[in-house]
Amino acid sequence: GIAFYQLGVEDNGNPLGLSDTYLEKSINTIKSVAARLRCDAKILRVARGLRGKIAQVQVRNFRDVARVKDVRVCVVGEEGSGKSTLVGVLTSGELDDGKGLARMNVFRHRHEIEDGRTSSASVKLLGYDQKGRITNYQEFGGEESNLVEVSDKVITLIDLGGHERYLKTTLANLTGRRPDHAGLVIGVDKGVEEMTKEHFGVIRALQIPCFVILSKTDLAKKNRIEGILGEIKQLAEGPAMGSEGHKGEPLSVTIVTDKSDLAKITKLSADLKMIPVFPVSCVDGKGLAQLKKFLRHLPLRRIQRHVAEAPVEFAVSEYQKVDEVGIVVTGTVMHGTVRTGMELMLGPLQNHDYKKVHIRSIHTKRTPTKTCSAGSMASLALPGVPEGHLRPGIMLLDPHVKRVAVVVFDAEIWPVSGSLVHENMEIVIHMGPIRQAARIVSFESDGHTIPAAIKTPSGETPQIPRGRTRARFRFCFRPEYVKVNSRFVFRERRTKGIGQVISIEDDTKKPAKYKITMQH
């Protein structure tokens, strides 16, 4: 929490003021008490009163968020499958009325409420205490801002749009937010549709552990659920997008019941060996208890110690201007530990350079803190940064990290079966926080350039050879911070394929070499 103290102001509001000596003693007393309570005291302003000086002091409680395990889950699926309703029911503890009342707490924009369709990423927290009780509910206070104090573990549910129009936002979050798991919601009234297959293919290509929620089971008969389960098994047994030779390891699919061994199922799911399926109803509550227990047991994806102790790399996904604060950026700590007062390098900018910025304050899990480590989502206040310097995908780097500005890079790619991919084709790259149009400059396979259009798996034009196929990409608008071995998705309207960066051309010191324009 935050408290404000007015020093030198009488009880009736009269700004009498204090002498310099008494004001300094009063401020030091507040700072001393705050330090004992593990709080931070900050002088906001000093002004002249009637007989002396008055001061406003802010005291803020910085909670220990590092002790709380934070597991991120992206909730995806076809529009109308019940994703937002499910998130609303899980985080509020109240069942839906069958008309979508529960999802009203999840929507962020007025147009979402009016048309009932999620268009942006909505983040909600689901907390658990040491005994496995959900801390969102009224007996624990019912406020998200109190979750960190009473929770031992927090599940960050990221509700994403299911309409094809919002695929770019969904892909940006699947690649940029680094989710620990993905929950694929399938409504039994619609079954497995095209966007369901699209989302599942991307999740599997990015090697994100996945579980399935069959929603609206109160509307379906048993044979309908069995039919959808068969469709899910076909998806799981099919080829994985981006796997060597277009062959993926088949995944087992199992329906979770009251008698299921959740500990074993959770481990197999996290190890990418099983897809658990949870039939649930947000209206009558059936199946929700097992789903809540499963979420409680979800593990973090492993973050090796050297990643947390490495120099800072922070990927910006959103930014906004906040009154009396200035620019605030939201994103993910990819490496290292961000601390208040730290100086980082922002870039690459349009001129291929980086700018030094100062971290004034940090918020994570709706809570102010002084540090935030690798794997966490956070909001950082950056005073004095021009809004024109910011964009999704820009990075904040430790001054000791090698700074690059990449326009051209080579990658090994695997197109989706049946996709047409050709030279000079303009596609959109989703690589971590990066989302930018790029042009395919050329293809190369086994040392030989393939200049013709390519269609997979077969067609009138030559086929991409099985195994390594190398392509050169060129960003269309601006340089990006790209690292070798980064995995990415590329799409036109739908997903075209998966790739992995194998080499980059650093253009930091020679920005005039490239004229970045759209090619048609």
Side-chain angles (χ1 to χ4, degrees):
I2 302 176
F4 296 93
Y5 293 87
Q6 308 288 343
L7 303 182
V9 179
E10 295 183 308
D11 291 342
N12 61 4
N14 185 35
L16 189 63
L18 298 172
S19 67
D20 290 349
T21 302
Y22 277 105
L23 183 64
E24 184 180 356
K25 286 183 178 180
S26 298
I27 290 173
N28 287 338
T29 299
I30 291 177
K31 286 184 175 180
S32 176
V33 174
R36 292 180 183 180
L37 297 174
R38 296 183 179 178
C39 297
D40 180 69
K42 180 181 179 181
I43 302 171
L44 296 182
R45 67 185 185 92
V46 177
R48 184 163 296 280
L50 298 176
R51 297 183 187 174
K53 293 180 179 178
I54 61 174
Q56 184 181 48
V57 180
Q58 172 189 282
V59 177
R60 171 175 284 175
N61 176 23
F62 288 94
R63 298 166 187 169
D64 182 15
V65 296
R67 67 172 180 80
V68 181
K69 304 181 192 73
D70 180 17
V71 179
R72 287 193 299 280
V73 177
C74 279
V75 183
V76 299
E78 181 73 46
E79 68 161 328
S81 60
K83 300 182 298 298
S84 300
T85 299
L86 176 67
V87 172
V89 168
L90 288 173
T91 55
S92 70
E94 297 179 1
L95 295 176
D96 187 50
D97 63 351
K99 299 178 182 179
L101 178 64
R103 65 188 178 185
M104 293 299 119
N105 294 325
V106 179
F107 289 152
R108 296 175 60 189
H109 304 292
R110 182 174 179 178
H111 69 84
E112 293 179 328
I113 295 174
E114 290 174 349
D115 62 23
R117 179 187 293 168
T118 302
S119 64
S120 59
S122 178
V123 179
K124 303 295 284 186
L125 305 180
L126 179 66
Y128 293 85
D129 67 5
Q130 291 183 343
K131 295 182 179 180
R133 297 175 297 181
I134 294 179
T135 55
N136 294 56
Y137 304 156
Q138 290 301 320
E139 59 265 33
F140 292 95
E143 295 292 334
E144 278 194 344
S145 58
N146 297 326
L147 279 181
V148 174
E149 285 189 357
V150 296
S151 299
D152 180 63
K153 184 175 186 177
V154 171
I155 307 296
T156 301
L157 298 170
I158 307 170
D159 179 32
L160 301 174
H163 194 277
E164 183 179 346
R165 183 189 307 172
Y166 309 118
L167 179 61
K168 61 182 180 181
T169 302
T170 299
L171 291 180
N173 281 273
L174 286 172
T175 58
R177 299 262 193 179
R178 286 195 174 183
D180 298 293
H181 303 267
L184 180 64
V185 182
I186 301 174
V188 296
D189 55 337
K190 292 186 177 182
V192 176
E193 298 188 292
E194 285 305 309
M195 288 309 296
T196 308
K197 298 174 183 177
E198 182 98 4
H199 291 167
F200 180 78
V202 172
I203 289 167
R204 194 173 176 191
L206 295 174
Q207 298 179 336
I208 302 172
C210 177
F211 58 95
V212 173
I213 302 104
L214 288 183
S215 65
K216 308 181 185 181
T217 55
D218 53 292
L219 302 178
K221 296 181 179 179
K222 185 177 180 180
N223 60 350
R224 173 61 174 161
I225 295 175
E226 291 175 350
I228 295 175
L229 185 63
E231 295 180 70
I232 296 171
K233 288 180 178 179
Q234 285 184 348
L235 284 178
E237 293 170 357
M241 182 196 305
S243 58
E244 185 71 24
H246 301 284
K247 290 182 179 179
E249 290 293 328
L251 301 171
S252 64
V253 177
T254 183
I255 285 229
V256 178
T257 66
D258 294 340
K259 299 179 180 180
S260 299
D261 185 347
L262 281 180
K264 181 179 179 181
I265 289 173
T266 304
K267 185 179 186 308
L268 290 172
S269 173
D271 291 341
L272 302 172
K273 295 179 180 179
M274 175 184 285
I275 299 178
V277 179
F278 296 84
V280 303
S281 170
C282 291
V283 175
D284 61 28
K286 289 183 180 178
L288 288 174
Q290 286 297 91
L291 178 59
K292 291 173 184 177
K293 291 178 183 178
F294 174 78
L295 292 173
R296 180 201 170 195
H297 287 94
L298 285 181
L300 284 163
R301 296 175 84 179
R302 293 175 184 167
I303 298 176
Q304 297 179 359
R305 179 171 294 181
H306 75 271
V307 174
E309 296 176 352
V312 170
E313 294 183 25
F314 182 91
V316 175
S317 57
E318 298 177 5
Y319 67 92
Q320 60 182 318
K321 193 170 185 178
V322 180
D323 292 341
E324 300 183 4
V325 176
I327 293 295
V328 175
V329 299
T330 301
T332 305
V333 185
M334 299 296 190
H335 294 87
T337 300
V338 180
R339 295 180 173 84
T340 54
M342 183 178 267
E343 288 190 338
L344 299 175
M345 304 302 294
L346 175 71
L349 306 176
Q350 192 70 40
N351 64 357
H352 297 219
D353 203 357
Y354 284 74
K355 174 185 173 65
K356 184 179 289 187
V357 298
H358 175 79
I359 309 299
R360 175 188 286 170
S361 61
I362 304 172
H363 273 69
T364 183
K365 306 182 188 76
R366 312 280 200 270
T367 306
T369 182
K370 290 189 175 182
T371 63
C372 191
S373 298
S376 300
M377 291 165 52
S379 296
L380 313 179
L382 306 179
V385 176
E387 196 168 353
H389 284 355
L390 295 167
R391 56 180 170 81
I394 202 166
M395 299 292 294
L396 289 167
L397 304 177
D398 187 284
H400 296 98
V401 171
K402 183 181 179 182
R403 300 186 287 278
V404 297
V406 176
V407 174
V408 176
F409 66 92
D410 294 330
E412 182 178 0
I413 65 169
W414 298 267
V416 176
S417 180
S419 293
L420 180 67
V421 184
H422 57 82
E423 274 191 355
N424 292 319
M425 180 179 186
E426 287 173 4
I427 42 82
V428 177
I429 298 281
H430 291 272
M431 184 190 302
I434 297 169
R435 185 178 73 193
Q436 188 185 162
R439 182 168 59 90
I440 299 176
V441 178
S442 62
F443 293 100
E444 186 178 293
S445 182
D446 298 326
H448 301 288
T449 301
I450 308 173
I454 297 170
K455 189 172 183 178
T456 62
S458 62
E460 295 121 6
T461 52
Q463 179 184 351
I464 287 185
R466 294 177 67 172
R468 172 174 295 188
T469 300
R470 181 168 173 163
R472 171 157 289 194
F473 294 86
R474 180 188 180 97
F475 287 121
C476 294
F477 295 113
R478 56 187 173 269
E480 300 283 6
Y481 179 75
V482 176
K483 299 173 73 173
V484 173
N485 294 326
S486 296
R487 204 167 175 86
F488 63 92
V489 175
F490 61 96
R491 68 176 179 86
E492 201 173 30
R493 186 168 63 95
R494 292 287 186 88
T495 304
K496 286 291 184 179
I498 196 89
Q500 186 166 359
V501 178
I502 54 178
S503 67
I504 62 174
E505 290 188 9
D506 180 14
D507 206 31
T508 309
K509 298 181 180 179
K510 44 193 178 195
K513 180 178 178 181
Y514 297 103
K515 183 180 180 182
I516 309 175
T517 57
M518 289 292 288
Q519 302 288 329
H520 294 283

